[in-house]
Amino acid sequence: MGLESVLYKCEKGVDLKQLRLKPWAVASEVMGRFKKTNQIHRWFLENIQNGIDDSRFYLVDEYQFKKLYKLCTTVDSNHDRAEELLPTLKGFDIGSAKYDEVYFENLSKVLIILGHINNTFDFEKNDLVYSSSH
């Protein structure tokens, strides 16, 4: 299967336990899916999940989201900073850990999704929730 990360749009104050049981019924929208983007997963793991890779659901506040978006745009415009700012994660079936063409193609796809969220998401009215599986 491989690594898949998802960002969900939920009503403010979402019950994360209910979301875990039936995300299709609790989340109002899937904002984006990332496949084998282990640099993005690593960022969430280190900045949102307290280093625990457990496939649970985690709230992403506006400050954290903007921080990730800025990191991604910086690396996209300056590839030499990839290893410093958005390092990869090594592991079984989570995608390549190389800083190659695939890394930057995946980053471009992530930026399309993050750009859409940045331009449309209302953090005052909704919760942004991250989850991953592999």
Side-chain angles (χ1 to χ4, degrees):
M1 180 177 159
L3 174 65
E4 179 178 70
S5 304
V6 182
L7 284 169
Y8 295 96
K9 175 182 175 181
C10 299
E11 288 185 23
K12 198 74 169 170
V14 65
D15 181 346
L16 295 178
K17 290 178 185 173
Q18 286 298 315
L19 186 60
R20 186 171 190 219
L21 293 173
K22 47 187 175 180
W24 61 90
V26 177
S28 57
E29 186 177 342
V30 173
M31 297 301 295
R33 290 187 190 279
F34 315 114
K35 298 216 183 239
K36 295 193 178 187
T37 54
N38 69 41
Q39 72 273 36
I40 302 303
H41 179 60
R42 180 175 178 167
W43 186 89
F44 277 102
L45 186 61
E46 292 175 354
N47 292 277
I48 306 291
Q49 298 177 230
N50 297 318
I52 302 166
D53 196 359
D54 59 5
S55 300
R56 291 185 181 237
F57 291 80
Y58 291 87
L59 291 174
V60 182
D61 67 32
E62 185 173 12
Y63 172 79
Q64 294 163 321
F65 173 79
K66 299 281 186 185
K67 183 177 174 183
L68 174 61
Y69 186 53
K70 184 176 182 179
L71 283 172
C72 289
T73 57
T74 300
V75 171
D76 189 53
S77 63
N78 187 350
H79 291 186
D80 294 337
R81 299 196 65 198
E83 190 170 3
E84 168 198 356
L85 297 177
L86 277 175
T88 57
L89 182 66
K90 293 181 182 179
F92 176 72
D93 206 24
I94 61 170
S96 172
K98 296 177 183 176
Y99 301 92
D100 57 8
E101 187 176 316
V102 172
Y103 175 101
F104 295 105
E105 284 175 10
N106 286 340
L107 183 61
S108 293
K109 292 174 186 174
V110 167
L111 269 169
I112 292 168
I113 293 167
L114 296 183
H116 174 72
I117 294 169
N118 188 59
N119 294 330
T120 63
F121 197 86
D122 186 346
F123 283 91
E124 299 284 323
K125 294 181 180 176
N126 300 292
D127 282 332
L128 186 63
V129 179
Y130 173 80
S131 183
S132 67
S133 62
H134 52 89

